[in-house]
Amino acid sequence: MKHPFQIVAVNNAGDLLCTATKNHIQVFKISSGERIGQWTDEADNTESIKEKILKEQERQKILKQQELEEKAAKAAEEGTPESSEEPPKKKKKKSKNKNNDGEPKIPTPGPGAPTIYNYIRTLKFSRNGKYLIGTTDSDKSVVIFEIDLSNNENILKLIKRQPFPKRPSSITTSYDDSEILLGDKFGDVYSTKVDTQEARVVNSEAEPILGHVSMLTDVLIGKKNDEQFIFTADRDEHIKISKFPQSFIVKHWLFGHEQFVSKLLIPSWNEDLLISGGGDDYIFLWDWSKESNQLLDKFNISEIVEPYINESHLAPSRFQNENNDLQETCISDIITIPGLPNIIAVLVEATNVVFLLKLESNKISLDKIIELDSKIISITSSNNQIIASVESEDNLLRSIDINTKTVSNELSESFKKITENSFVEIPSKDELYPLYPVFQLRKRSEH
Amino acid sequence: RAHSNPFSDHKLEYPRSPDQMNWSKFYPKFVDETTGKLSKQVTIADIGCGYGGLMIDLSPAFPNNLILGMEIRVQVTNFVEDRIIALRQQHFKEDKFQNINVLRGNAMKFLPNFFQKSQLEKMFFCFPDPHFKQRKHKARIITNTLLSEYAYVLKEGGIIYTITDVKDLHDWMVKHLDEHPLFERLDENFEKNDECVKIMFNSTEEGKKVERNKGDKFFKCYKRLPDHPKL
């Protein structure tokens, strides 16, 4: 069977569909379904792990050496003869550390450990549409592709591959597309230039430009009076706004979420607004440009989601209530639609509906619920449609016409072609990569 | 336990935002009887206060400031709580030690939940966990990214005090504070004349332990600069 697309993204012109499946990126022509670009992450992460371990061992050695030298110097200074007790102690220590000096051991998961999936976790077009940017798990890299439409073989030209110390979890570009900001699993934000360097594999020693002490879930750049700001969201309910590029100046925090934040959006039709969602029952609407009273509205989605909840939304047994009916939903995507101002499309993870919400006079209201025949994994939009990747066997994509706000069959032929042309096959459903990973962000504090 | 992982999701209580923090129960003697509200804000924070020795010595030196210790280890926090209750009872008549208290919290994650922008005048980082391993360096309490958050809660001219017996950690803290555009190192003249430096050098339990072991104590203080960056 064909593996469903984990991420879909349409370019600005609305004619290309980029997809991420496992460690593969594919680009299709929407009109014909032809595959015109592809890239597979073939990096092996054992080498980079080895390198890191060696580096740390080396550092520890140097530190120990320094410590010994300092002690020796001190002893010499004080004129005390080396005590007879110390040397045997040191010898003991050395023999203990012996096994550390050899070939670095690559940690391998023990039996019963959860499967490790290496896949493309983020995929985004630059604002000008010239570049496609993704992140890899294998070597924790940002990969930047130039879209080269003149190349008939493959329009994806890898221009840069920049590894980072921790796994990237979100990306955005500066307004002029010259810089990429990347948020990682450890809460740090790094910046890297979009330049046409040869693809290279080096470990970055760069310092983060800002950080949280919590996994970052989304990073955005917004603008107010020609001043740019970075928005960062994390697993600890925080949304922080810092200046850019003076990222050491924190503008303020947006307080209100009671669960992790998974998604931030600044709508193109009003850049003073910020919409956020995550593990809460609410979608939050903020005026981030204000200094205080930034929360404009909270829209309760739990009621409208209720009919579409399925067994996958039940809380894990360890955290379940007495009646075994505790359900947990989270927002996995919030997008704007170029042809529909004042409307946002919201995806609640592992449901088969897209909610269109209307923003009017700083209030959010329900515009339309669009139900599909299969569970939705990822959504993207162009001028005239919302494209959804779904968990289905025959056709991996669905289209929603934004004029009629209904499911459209117009493109079903080319979508079938795209499905056929996708080369990522799996023998059975058991081999599926994670399609709905957002719910794992929920905090389970135990002590 | 001597250590606590600042990254793990402890069961912590923290307010949704600084507006929602109820300080009255921490400093009951400072509650204005007519409004029922606290007459002062916390302005001095001891981050990772350990057994509370610093606060206890700061208390009489700054009788008009509210001083808060934050500590991530439950048992240690409970100990300090009991210690402060006992001190308050002992000095009931003089109303002493009413301006200090402790709460269990993860300052690295939730400091902005407790304090408003520019609320603090002084922040102390005394004998923090050195986290020797390179891969644990992000767990250190002073990093360039956390300094930006400390700068947010500190007012202009506010002071960060650091002290440690670990040379490697001292060098690390100095390096990051020196490099941060919103902090400026204070000179020896300040160190000689500042009352807090004296208290910090002599009062904490860790500091006394270092003294007993005849170890070195390294310290530095930094001033919060205005928001425009160094040129």
Side-chain angles (χ1 to χ4, degrees):
Chain A
M1 65 178 274
K2 299 283 182 183
H3 193 294
F5 299 124
Q6 287 161 289
I7 309 173
V8 286
V10 175
N11 64 339
N12 295 359
D15 57 347
L16 300 180
L17 182 77
C18 272
T19 65
T21 323
K22 294 165 76 170
N23 57 341
H24 310 286
I25 297 174
Q26 304 178 80
V27 189
F28 303 94
K29 260 190 187 162
I30 292 177
S31 56
S32 65
E34 188 189 348
R35 189 177 73 228
I36 55 170
Q38 77 265 340
W39 181 79
T40 298
D41 173 28
E42 273 153 356
D44 177 8
N45 58 358
T46 51
E47 273 312 303
S48 68
I49 294 174
K50 230 183 228 178
E51 207 174 294
K52 258 182 216 161
I53 296 173
L54 276 175
K55 231 185 218 168
E56 174 64 17
Q57 281 178 352
E58 200 54 43
R59 203 190 66 94
Q60 297 267 349
K61 250 188 229 164
I62 294 168
L63 271 183
K64 232 172 234 161
Q65 193 64 40
Q66 278 176 350
E67 216 172 273
L68 286 179
E69 274 167 19
E70 263 168 42
K71 261 188 196 158
K74 220 181 212 178
E77 214 175 81
E78 288 167 7
T80 43
E82 264 190 50
S83 66
S84 53
E85 287 162 37
E86 263 179 68
K89 246 186 191 173
K90 270 178 201 163
K91 263 179 204 163
K92 243 185 201 171
K93 263 190 187 169
K94 257 184 196 163
S95 62
K96 250 186 193 174
N97 288 343
K98 223 176 193 174
N99 44 2
N100 265 355
D101 299 336
E103 179 79 353
K105 268 188 204 159
I106 305 302
T108 44
T115 323
I116 295 168
Y117 296 98
N118 278 330
Y119 60 102
I120 311 284
R121 285 183 201 249
T122 50
L123 190 64
K124 230 178 206 172
F125 279 99
S126 62
R127 290 171 205 257
N128 60 19
K130 278 189 193 162
Y131 306 104
L132 182 72
I133 305 145
T135 61
T136 67
D137 280 1
S138 57
D139 61 347
K140 308 180 180 82
S141 274
V142 166
V143 282
I144 307 171
F145 303 92
E146 200 174 71
I147 307 284
D148 177 10
L149 291 170
S150 65
N151 188 335
N152 294 328
E153 300 280 298
N154 187 356
I155 67 160
L156 289 183
K157 183 183 165 201
L158 182 66
I159 58 168
K160 189 170 181 178
R161 178 174 190 141
Q162 176 68 63
F164 284 89
K166 298 281 180 250
R167 192 169 79 197
S169 51
S170 52
I171 41 173
T172 190
T173 59
S174 59
Y175 263 79
D176 61 0
D177 277 334
S178 67
E179 259 180 86
I180 292 174
L181 296 191
L182 150 147
D184 75 21
K185 210 186 156 181
F186 252 46
D188 285 325
V189 176
Y190 291 89
S191 109
T192 186
K193 290 256 186 282
V194 182
D195 45 24
T196 46
Q197 287 181 41
E198 294 259 319
R200 60 196 171 120
V201 183
V202 282
N203 257 310
S204 166
E205 294 292 329
E207 286 272 312
I209 62 163
L210 73 97
H212 297 211
V213 180
S214 177
M215 178 178 179
L216 288 181
T217 53
D218 208 357
V219 46
L220 271 190
I221 285 198
K223 202 158 70 171
K224 171 90 183 165
N225 303 334
D226 282 337
E227 215 182 341
Q228 293 185 60
F229 295 90
I230 311 175
F231 297 73
T232 39
D234 72 22
R235 264 189 83 203
D236 285 324
E237 314 99 30
H238 286 133
I239 301 171
K240 178 159 86 170
I241 308 177
S242 317
K243 290 195 178 181
F244 181 75
Q246 295 160 314
S247 52
F248 50 86
I249 299 176
V250 177
K251 186 174 178 283
H252 58 249
W253 270 264
L254 300 178
F255 291 111
H257 279 278
E258 298 191 9
Q259 285 290 339
F260 67 88
V261 185
S262 58
K263 195 69 207 168
L264 300 176
L265 173 78
I266 294 175
S268 44
W269 24 266
N270 184 351
E271 295 194 23
D272 287 352
L273 298 182
L274 179 81
I275 298 146
S276 61
D280 289 294
D281 284 342
Y282 295 89
I283 301 255
F284 287 65
L285 176 66
W286 317 83
D287 181 346
W288 63 268
S289 65
K290 279 188 195 158
E291 282 299 323
S292 56
N293 298 323
Q294 306 99 341
L295 182 64
L296 299 173
D297 195 23
K298 272 164 83 173
F299 180 77
N300 190 337
I301 53 159
S302 63
E303 289 156 29
I304 58 171
V305 173
E306 183 62 41
Y308 307 100
I309 282 179
N310 49 58
E311 60 195 27
S312 72
H313 295 105
L314 282 173
S317 50
R318 274 174 72 203
F319 309 102
Q320 193 45 268
N321 63 10
E322 280 175 13
N323 300 329
N324 280 319
D325 60 359
L326 177 65
Q327 288 166 329
E328 296 173 332
T329 58
C330 57
I331 284 152
S332 57
D333 213 350
I334 308 173
I335 61 169
T336 49
I337 304 143
L340 275 183
N342 302 315
I343 294 281
I344 54 169
V346 175
L347 182 61
V348 174
E349 190 167 69
T351 62
N352 62 333
V353 277
V354 173
F355 298 109
L356 296 185
L357 304 181
K358 201 192 300 177
L359 274 76
E360 248 172 356
S361 18
N362 295 337
K363 291 272 169 242
I364 307 178
S365 58
L366 179 65
D367 184 60
K368 184 136 195 221
I369 298 175
I370 302 160
E371 191 175 348
L372 303 191
D373 59 355
S374 314
K375 275 205 262 183
I376 306 168
I377 302 157
S378 167
I379 51 174
T380 180
S381 63
S382 69
N383 268 320
N384 52 10
Q385 63 176 331
I386 296 170
I387 296 178
S389 78
V390 292
E391 194 181 347
S392 158
E393 301 212 354
D394 54 331
N395 191 340
L396 303 179
L397 297 166
R398 301 285 184 274
S399 169
I400 296 164
D401 184 304
I402 62 157
N403 294 313
T404 59
K405 296 176 182 168
T406 54
V407 181
S408 138
N409 291 317
E410 218 174 285
L411 282 162
S412 57
E413 276 313 303
S414 61
F415 279 0
K416 269 193 187 130
K417 286 252 166 65
I418 290 178
T419 306
E420 278 165 28
N421 287 334
S422 167
F423 62 77
V424 189
E425 304 246 8
I426 46 169
S428 77
K429 274 191 170 175
D430 301 334
E431 310 280 312
L432 277 176
Y433 267 50
L435 302 178
Y436 312 107
V438 181
F439 78 96
Q440 292 167 7
L441 294 172
R442 197 170 293 273
K443 285 200 284 184
R444 310 284 187 191
S445 34
E446 287 170 78
H447 52 88
Chain B
R1 283 197 313 169
H3 306 279
S4 193
N5 181 359
F7 290 98
S8 64
D9 305 321
H10 298 103
K11 252 205 171 78
L12 291 172
E13 271 180 48
Y14 52 92
R16 282 287 138 235
S17 71
D19 297 332
Q20 290 175 37
M21 182 64 196
N22 176 15
W23 292 108
S24 307
K25 60 175 180 183
F26 288 88
Y27 309 99
K29 290 275 171 175
F30 285 82
V31 174
D32 185 314
E33 278 175 21
T34 48
T35 61
K37 281 181 183 162
L38 218 56
S39 59
K40 287 183 186 304
Q41 282 194 317
V42 174
T43 50
I44 299 176
D46 182 6
I47 309 300
C49 67
Y51 295 95
L54 178 77
M55 284 198 289
I56 286 160
D57 285 359
L58 285 175
S59 175
F62 295 89
N64 295 315
N65 288 69
L66 296 188
I67 303 167
L68 181 78
M70 277 180 123
E71 174 54 52
I72 198 168
R73 295 163 293 177
V74 189
Q75 285 89 345
V76 179
T77 317
N78 293 344
F79 170 84
V80 180
E81 250 169 35
D82 293 346
R83 195 174 174 187
I84 292 172
I85 291 170
L87 279 169
R88 284 180 178 176
Q89 277 166 355
Q90 274 171 34
H91 300 271
F92 183 69
K93 279 180 194 154
E94 309 101 288
D95 254 2
K96 276 188 175 172
F97 302 107
Q98 293 294 337
N99 63 334
I100 57 171
N101 216 328
V102 66
L103 64 78
R104 188 197 176 206
N106 182 340
M108 293 168 68
K109 277 174 179 273
F110 299 113
L111 205 61
N113 289 63
F114 289 95
F115 303 119
Q116 311 271 7
K117 188 175 191 163
S118 312
Q119 180 177 337
L120 297 180
E121 290 166 15
K122 295 176 195 299
M123 291 178 85
F124 289 87
F125 298 91
C126 302
F127 302 97
D129 192 336
H131 292 291
F132 287 109
K133 283 182 188 161
Q134 176 110 51
R135 64 182 182 83
K136 300 274 273 188
H137 281 181
K138 198 189 143 72
R140 286 180 166 173
I141 195 90
I142 301 279
T143 60
N144 72 330
T145 59
L146 278 169
L147 281 173
S148 302
E149 304 204 353
Y150 304 153
Y152 175 86
V153 293
L154 268 178
K155 67 177 195 181
E156 269 178 33
I159 293 166
I160 279 187
Y161 294 83
T162 70
I163 186 165
T164 175
D165 59 324
V166 180
K167 183 72 168 53
D168 182 45
L169 176 65
H170 177 69
D171 293 343
W172 164 279
M173 294 197 287
V174 166
K175 172 181 179 283
H176 285 86
L177 276 152
D178 277 347
E179 283 171 0
H180 201 282
L182 297 181
F183 289 100
E184 184 180 76
R185 196 200 281 203
L186 290 163
D187 58 14
E188 273 179 34
N189 203 24
F190 171 87
E191 290 168 3
K192 264 186 213 147
N193 296 310
D194 187 75
E195 195 176 358
C196 292
V197 171
K198 266 176 231 136
I199 296 174
M200 170 173 80
F201 198 84
N202 297 314
S203 71
T204 70
E205 284 71 16
E206 277 296 321
K208 284 173 186 155
K209 197 167 94 187
V210 174
E211 220 146 86
R212 281 198 300 276
N213 300 336
K214 298 201 169 63
D216 293 317
K217 284 190 255 187
F218 310 97
F219 64 92
K220 272 282 167 287
C221 309
Y222 286 80
K223 188 173 80 178
R224 164 73 154 92
L225 294 171
D227 267 355
H228 58 76
K230 273 180 202 167
L231 292 174

